[in-house]
């Protein structure tokens, strides 16, 4: 879990998240499709392996790496967390938020769910959301406004439980996944 990694690093926000965001903000503000364009798989794996062995070397390597490799590394780190950053426990609650028609009640529920996150998850989520907001301010160059950032990061930060959904056909499964992605995007967009 994120808490264990943070305890090992003695930080509240994982160092890799901070390093990646810093590099992306430094060099990615004019990169068309930032976060949408994938990095080179082999280079991303090399970065990941370096981070696993030496954070000092990783920091140097990140400064030289292609910015799309850095964005891919950040997304990979978040996807590989053993639990979604927004917590697996409340996933179904997030997916039902659009069923709450009263905006005041929905706001209360969103705030309540966020307050239930462990501190390290909440701080890391806030850090990432602030980073995405900063990056979206360069959307005239990157073509990545907040809405596009939410499409990419919604599923990454909220990833569904393993057995979510019981679709009966491939078409039903695709429709269900599409609906789920839309809901994940909506949740993240609310917080952004």
């Amino acid at each position: 879990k994120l808490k264990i990694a943070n305890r090992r690093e003695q930080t509240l926000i994982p160092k890799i998240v901070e390093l990646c965001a810093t590099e992306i903000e430094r060099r990615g503000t004019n990169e068309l499709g930032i976060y949408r364009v994938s990095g080179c798989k082999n280079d991303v794996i090399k970065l990941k392996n370096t981070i696993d062995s030496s954070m000092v070397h990783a920091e140097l390597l990140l400064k030289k790496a292609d910015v799309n490799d850095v964005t891919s590394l950040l997304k990979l780190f978040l996807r590989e967390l053993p639990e979604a950053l927004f917590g697996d426990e409340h996933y179904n609650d997030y997916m039902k938020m659009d069923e709450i028609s009263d905006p005041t009640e929905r706001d209360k529920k969103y705030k309540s769910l966020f307050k239930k996150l462990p501190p390290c998850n909440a701080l890391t989520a806030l850090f990432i959301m602030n980073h995405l907001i900063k990056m979206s301010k360069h959307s005239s160059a990157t073509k990545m406004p907040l809405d596009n950032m939410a499409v990419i990061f919604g599923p990454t930060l909220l990833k569904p439980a393993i057995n979510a959904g019981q679709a009966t056909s491939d078409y039903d499964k695709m429709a269900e996944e599409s609906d789920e992605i839309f809901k994940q995007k909506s949740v993240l967009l609310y917080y952004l």
Side-chain angles (χ1 to χ4, degrees):
K1 289 188 175 185
L2 189 60
K3 190 182 206 177
I4 295 166
N6 288 357
R7 196 177 309 132
R8 184 179 61 234
E9 291 180 4
Q10 297 182 347
T11 62
L12 293 174
I13 299 166
K15 186 77 171 156
I16 188 60
V17 171
E18 290 180 342
L19 291 173
C20 286
T22 299
E23 276 310 301
I24 295 161
E25 289 170 16
R26 186 172 73 86
R27 297 186 288 129
T29 56
N30 290 314
E31 189 73 28
L32 183 65
I34 194 75
Y35 281 117
R36 183 173 283 151
V37 176
S38 295
C40 173
K41 184 178 179 181
N42 290 336
D43 292 342
V44 174
I45 290 169
K46 182 180 176 184
L47 282 170
K48 182 182 182 298
N49 291 338
T50 302
I51 286 163
D52 291 343
S53 62
S54 169
M55 193 57 77
V56 174
H57 289 110
E59 193 168 352
L60 296 171
L61 199 55
L62 281 172
K63 289 180 188 233
K64 297 176 186 174
D66 182 272
V67 72
N68 293 312
D69 293 342
V70 180
T71 61
S72 292
L73 177 65
L74 178 58
K75 291 185 293 184
L76 178 65
F77 173 82
L78 295 168
R79 275 193 310 270
E80 288 185 345
L81 289 172
E83 179 181 66
L85 192 60
F86 278 78
D88 292 347
E89 170 180 350
H90 300 290
Y91 181 74
N92 290 328
D93 294 329
Y94 282 118
M95 293 301 99
K96 293 177 184 172
M97 292 302 280
D98 63 344
E99 296 172 13
I100 303 171
S101 57
D102 179 23
T104 305
E105 281 303 309
R106 195 174 25 220
D107 284 348
K108 285 180 186 175
K109 182 73 172 174
Y110 269 121
K111 289 174 184 169
S112 168
L113 286 171
F114 198 83
K115 286 179 182 177
K116 292 178 182 179
L117 290 175
C120 55
N121 289 50
L123 288 171
T124 301
L126 286 170
F127 181 87
I128 290 168
M129 289 187 289
N130 283 327
H131 164 69
L132 296 177
I133 290 167
K134 284 181 197 174
M135 292 304 295
S136 73
K137 291 179 180 174
H138 302 279
S139 65
S140 60
T142 65
K143 307 299 182 220
M144 292 297 291
L146 276 181
D147 195 61
N148 290 2
M149 295 288 192
V151 168
I152 290 170
F153 277 88
T156 301
L157 300 179
L158 284 137
K159 72 181 171 194
I162 294 168
N163 295 323
Q166 299 298 322
T168 56
S169 71
D170 288 344
Y171 177 78
D172 289 341
K173 188 174 181 183
M174 268 195 322
E176 187 177 286
E177 287 173 356
S178 193
D179 184 51
E180 216 166 313
I181 289 169
F182 177 78
K183 289 177 180 180
Q184 292 164 343
K185 171 201 153 198
S186 296
V187 169
L188 184 57
L189 202 51
Y190 170 85
Y191 285 120
L192 287 170

